Amino acid sequence: MNPVFAELPTTVFETMSRLAREHGAVNLGQGFPDDPGPADLREAGARALIDGPNQYPPMMGLPALREAVAVHYARHQGLALDPGTEVMVTSGATEALAGALLALIAPGDEVVLFAPMYDAYLPLVRRAGGVPRIVNLMPPAFRLDEAALAEAFSDRTKLVLVNTPLNPGATLFGREDLALLARFCCAHDVIALCDEVWEHVVFDGARHVPLMGLPGMRERTVKIGSAGKIFSLTGWKVGFVAADARLMRVLAKAHQFLTFTTPPNLQAAVALGLGKDPAWFAAMRAGYARSRDRLAAGLAERGFTVLPAAATWFLNIDIAPLGARDDVAFCEALVSRHGVAAIPVSAFYPDGAVRHLVRLCFAKADATLDAALDRMSRLAR
């Protein structure tokens, strides 16, 4: 068996969701909304399924969706993309990440990663033969540090993998952080693989800044987006990749031997969604910000220390003021004794460097959030 996968533990998300089911807990662990997603997109997907076609769509994706991705990024982020040569559709963002890493890394190439990180990053890098160089970002700000970057980057660095907005930090890198990272990429001739699935889920008037748009980065950036995150349709698994045509030619060769295509009816529906008026995206953000504020205020009223949450569907609580030092033990007790499932943030650090934060998902109905708060009332006092 391949040791990269054979030696991996069961993902923390599956573990906590299983415990939630066993204990009848309110699940604020795994990141999925209560909402079923936009009705017009679901109806469009259903119509396209019935009306067809339902055979293999083009390997690069339906032309209508590729065009919609290019128009969408031009409108919302000022990027100029050629839909014919610089946009590709994938079966979710994780497939896009896997394909990019397999396409761009040769065995022995060094890859800079930032922790906390999505748990798929490290095994995918290792499976591709990459040598990880991990930079720990520390709470509460999770900012990039020039000295840490200087230590991680070298002439052996081939690629940097960055998630912005950052899950589970619930932060987004500003232009100053991105300019610092771009400077290192250009100085070391490094490709940037940008997981930007949370690009639309940002709050308080902030705007996502794509690394691709910074000077020197257009030709060396692979940008990954996700319809699942934008439209709260996580089960659809429709992702998209944007990159310079030179990079895209290689990315497409990896994609064709992974999933090859994505269901055409879902692609047609996502193309419709990406063309929505900007007011729809603003309303979506406002709805999630309201849920964030409801959970954050409720936690603070009950004595919890809540970290700022500028983006994503998550916020973090600091359990150190409660006298807790082990986030895994805290989460196990939280689900088994109090009936609320959460995620220990140490699971996102390969070395467990941070063990005093617990992540909660606020992309839930008010009743769900209130039920969780009621169950947590006895913990902080």
Side-chain angles (χ1 to χ4, degrees):
M1 298 183 184
N2 189 304
V4 171
F5 298 113
E7 297 172 5
L8 285 176
T10 301
T11 173
V12 67
F13 308 107
E14 176 59 27
T15 298
M16 295 310 299
S17 290
R18 175 182 55 80
L19 289 172
R21 292 189 295 271
E22 290 176 0
H23 294 281
V26 178
N27 192 350
L28 301 189
Q30 195 167 4
F32 55 85
D34 284 347
D35 189 280
D40 57 344
L41 267 67
R42 291 183 284 122
E43 291 166 358
R47 284 196 305 270
L49 179 65
I50 297 301
D51 297 340
N54 286 296
Q55 307 308 327
Y56 295 125
M59 182 267 288
M60 293 292 288
L62 291 182
L65 179 50
R66 297 167 71 194
E67 176 70 26
V69 170
V71 171
H72 182 85
Y73 282 141
R75 171 187 277 187
H76 290 273
Q77 298 178 14
L79 298 175
L81 298 167
D82 181 345
T85 62
E86 296 184 319
V87 177
M88 179 173 69
V89 180
T90 61
S91 291
T94 302
E95 189 243 313
L97 287 163
L101 291 167
L102 290 170
L104 299 173
I105 298 173
D109 287 339
E110 292 191 359
V111 178
V112 175
L113 306 105
F114 301 101
M117 68 178 74
Y118 177 43
D119 62 350
Y121 290 174
L122 203 53
L124 290 176
V125 167
R126 287 174 171 154
R127 184 63 188 91
V131 178
R133 298 293 303 275
I134 299 170
V135 177
N136 284 339
L137 307 180
M138 304 307 291
F142 300 97
R143 294 286 303 275
L144 298 181
D145 177 75
E146 184 169 3
L149 292 181
E151 186 175 347
F153 278 78
S154 73
D155 293 339
R156 298 179 298 278
T157 307
K158 177 66 174 292
L159 184 142
V160 58
L161 173 49
V162 59
N163 176 213
T164 178
L166 176 65
N167 169 32
T171 56
L172 65 161
F173 294 122
R175 190 169 292 274
E176 181 181 344
D177 289 288
L178 294 174
L180 175 64
L181 183 59
R183 191 167 80 240
F184 276 88
C185 289
C186 293
H188 293 277
D189 193 22
V190 168
I191 296 170
L193 177 55
C194 295
D195 178 353
E196 301 186 8
V197 299
W198 300 105
E199 58 195 342
H200 272 294
V201 191
V202 297
F203 309 124
D204 307 319
R207 293 186 63 86
H208 169 71
V209 178
L211 186 62
M212 178 181 276
L214 270 64
M217 296 305 297
R218 178 62 172 80
E219 293 76 21
R220 65 174 67 251
T221 299
V222 177
K223 173 180 170 63
I224 295 175
S226 166
K229 299 301 191 296
I230 295 174
F231 301 112
S232 305
L233 294 163
T234 59
W236 280 24
K237 301 296 289 182
V238 178
F240 21 88
V241 183
D244 178 78
R246 175 183 60 88
L247 291 173
M248 186 60 77
R249 284 192 291 271
V250 182
L251 297 171
K253 292 176 182 177
H255 166 67
Q256 70 180 343
F257 295 121
L258 288 173
T259 61
F260 183 70
T261 59
T262 297
N265 66 308
L266 301 183
Q267 293 192 53
V270 170
L272 171 70
L274 289 175
K276 282 179 175 290
D277 188 272
W280 183 91
F281 296 93
M284 176 269 292
R285 287 189 286 272
Y288 282 127
R290 189 186 65 82
S291 296
R292 175 202 61 176
D293 294 344
R294 187 183 192 93
L295 181 58
L299 289 167
E301 288 169 3
R302 288 159 176 80
F304 289 94
T305 301
V306 183
L307 272 65
T312 78
W313 292 335
F314 310 105
L315 59 77
N316 294 294
I317 57 173
D318 188 343
I319 60 174
L322 306 178
R325 295 291 183 268
D326 185 335
D327 58 347
V328 174
F330 181 92
C331 287
E332 289 173 350
L334 181 63
V335 69
S336 63
R337 299 177 189 172
H338 301 277
V340 177
I343 299 295
V345 170
S346 63
F348 299 90
Y349 286 86
D351 63 355
V354 173
R355 302 191 64 86
H356 61 94
L357 298 183
V358 169
R359 193 194 78 172
L360 300 167
C361 177
F362 56 75
K364 306 294 181 182
D366 289 353
T368 303
L369 298 176
D370 292 346
L373 288 167
D374 287 343
R375 297 182 182 197
M376 296 176 69
S377 294
R378 298 184 302 275
L379 269 170
R381 297 191 184 280

